[in-house]
Amino acid sequence: MPEAEQDTVFKPFTRLSQSRTTPGNGLGLALVKAVGDAHHASISLADAGPGLRIQIRFPRLIPERLSKS
């Protein structure tokens, strides 16, 4: 995936030209981003040649934070 297009794949209903021959509607990464944002996760994309590698990192929960909720 070209680096210039990495931000656009998180927009709902976005499909890059390389993936138009496979089934899908472009919601998968938009949902991943929404869940990640809700949990303060970081998401990174990298070339897996061929394919795409996606890494999602969630922050570690601190027990004191949980009891204050």
Side-chain angles (χ1 to χ4, degrees), residues 45-69:
L45 305 176
D47 184 18
L52 179 66
R53 178 180 177 185
I54 302 170
Q55 184 173 35
I56 306 167
R57 291 181 175 234
F58 290 88
R60 188 176 298 233
L61 294 177
I62 301 171
E64 301 95 51
R65 277 192 193 163
L66 295 176
S67 62
K68 291 179 183 179
S69 297

Side-chain angles (χ1 to χ4, degrees), residues 1-58:
M1 167 185 306
E3 204 169 312
E5 294 181 338
Q6 287 186 359
D7 286 337
T8 62
V9 297
F10 294 110
K11 295 178 183 175
F13 304 108
T14 299
R15 306 242 0 225
L16 300 181
S17 58
Q18 304 95 305
S19 64
R20 294 193 188 273
T21 58
T22 57
N25 54 21
L27 286 175
L29 290 176
L31 290 171
V32 167
K33 176 123 174 68
V35 171
D37 288 349
H39 294 280
H40 308 287
S42 64
I43 302 172
S44 62
L45 305 176
D47 184 18
L52 179 66
R53 178 180 177 185
I54 302 170
Q55 184 173 35
I56 306 167
R57 291 181 175 234
F58 290 88

